[in-house]
Amino acid sequence: MRRSFPLAFPLARSLARRRDRAAWADPRRRLLTLESFAATEEDGGQDLVAAARRVTDPDLRAHVERHAADELRHARMFRDRAREVAAELALSEDAGERPDRPYDLSRGRPGLEQDAHGFFSGGLYDELGEVEYVAMLHVAESRAADLFAHHLDLVRGDDPATAEVFEAILRDEKYHMAYTARFLERWEGEGRAGEVARALRSARSSRAMANWRALGLRSGAGFGKAMLWVAYWVLVTPFALVGRLQQPASGWQAPAERDAGLESQA
């Protein structure tokens, strides 16, 4: 069965491609993007190291340990390439100043603790359990393969050194998807098909929710302005017209005329 999940919804995918192409075209942003990928891979590797200590199945533990080593190696590969780009920038006459704010794959969204794979950072082995953790890994690695293929396509022609990094990492992602799929299928064969299905649904829905939240936060300012405009014309304007139609026929009186009328009644 097909367990991979699309990169994102069509609109978000189009926006991401435009944004990421611009990131790789600018040497300074390329450096920051590589550093951000390195940090993401290192975080994932450390989480896998911790998970491997808790796994009781020796076969699964060996795969998780290898997976952790792969993620940490990916972090080193990204950092090595980042150092090369930094050296190229230092030799460039128009290198300019390094941006004050580092580039963050999560776009610096407060309250959205999400990695570049699209998962919330709290998905640890102790919290999820064996089946749900492996299901999360499978969906996350499928997502990572899509993500790295996307970036490989963007840099292939203009940045062969970075393309080599993505090509090497993609070979590891295929292994990660394969071993997690094998364990999920084994558990299905052992009569745990319902548990596996629920775990996959949970992993996919968590990523889908992250995508919706990310898209909403990215477009929140423009969307909010549009909704205020719609609310004004749909809600405020009709009520204002109704209010004017319900005014007394005598109309509005100037303050002096009104005060004179009150005095005559006294």
Side-chain angles (χ1 to χ4, degrees):
M1 85 184 122
R2 186 177 185 274
R3 302 182 191 277
S4 61
F5 202 70
L7 174 63
F9 298 102
L11 175 59
R13 186 181 308 160
S14 175
L15 293 172
R17 185 174 184 85
R18 190 182 315 168
R19 180 194 64 235
D20 294 336
R21 186 180 295 280
W24 291 115
D26 181 345
R28 290 174 293 277
R29 293 179 67 189
R30 184 185 312 159
L31 169 62
L32 297 173
T33 302
L34 288 164
E35 290 175 344
S36 189
F37 269 121
T40 298
E41 293 296 292
E42 185 170 38
D43 287 346
Q46 294 295 344
D47 185 57
L48 284 159
V49 168
R53 300 192 190 104
R54 315 294 264 175
V55 175
T56 56
D57 184 321
D59 187 20
L60 177 59
R61 187 190 310 120
H63 284 288
V64 173
E65 288 173 347
R66 177 179 166 182
H67 191 165
D70 286 346
E71 298 294 309
L72 295 174
R73 179 166 46 81
H74 297 167
R76 291 193 297 272
M77 293 168 67
F78 279 124
R79 285 206 174 91
D80 289 344
R81 179 59 189 141
R83 279 193 289 270
E84 294 173 356
V85 172
E88 295 167 4
L89 275 171
L91 295 174
S92 174
E93 294 182 357
D94 59 346
E97 296 182 0
R98 185 184 176 95
D100 294 334
R101 183 174 59 186
Y103 181 72
D104 183 5
L105 288 170
S106 68
R107 316 291 179 263
R109 293 186 288 270
L112 186 61
E113 298 177 358
Q114 176 190 355
D115 65 15
H117 295 172
F119 281 91
F120 297 114
S121 60
L124 304 177
Y125 184 87
D126 286 340
E127 297 175 11
L128 298 177
E130 183 178 69
V131 174
E132 193 166 348
Y133 187 80
V134 172
M136 183 274 294
L137 285 179
H138 181 76
V139 178
E141 293 305 305
S142 300
R143 167 70 175 91
D146 287 342
L147 182 71
F148 291 139
H150 162 73
H151 285 283
L152 173 60
D153 181 56
L154 294 176
V155 303
R156 195 191 302 273
D158 302 323
D159 189 350
T162 301
E164 288 181 8
V165 173
F166 282 122
E167 286 170 349
I169 291 175
L170 273 169
R171 289 192 288 270
D172 291 333
E173 298 303 325
K174 292 178 181 178
Y175 155 67
H176 301 157
M177 288 187 290
Y179 93 79
T180 51
R182 182 168 67 83
F183 276 94
L184 293 172
E185 289 165 0
R186 190 185 83 180
W187 290 326
E188 286 176 337
E190 294 174 351
R192 303 171 71 181
E195 186 179 357
V196 169
R198 286 191 298 272
L200 286 169
R201 281 197 302 271
S202 176
R204 287 167 178 153
S205 64
S206 294
R207 199 183 71 77
M209 180 62 70
N211 279 332
W212 273 113
R213 291 186 63 189
L215 178 61
L217 286 167
R218 282 199 298 273
S219 60
F223 182 74
K225 291 177 182 177
M227 289 305 296
L228 285 173
W229 186 88
V230 170
Y232 177 80
W233 288 106
V234 174
L235 299 176
V236 178
T237 303
F239 280 111
L241 291 173
V242 170
R244 292 187 64 182
L245 292 174
Q246 291 180 346
Q247 286 181 352
S250 59
W252 177 79
Q253 290 181 320
E257 297 175 356
R258 185 184 62 223
D259 293 343
L262 291 175
E263 290 175 0
S264 66
Q265 294 176 10

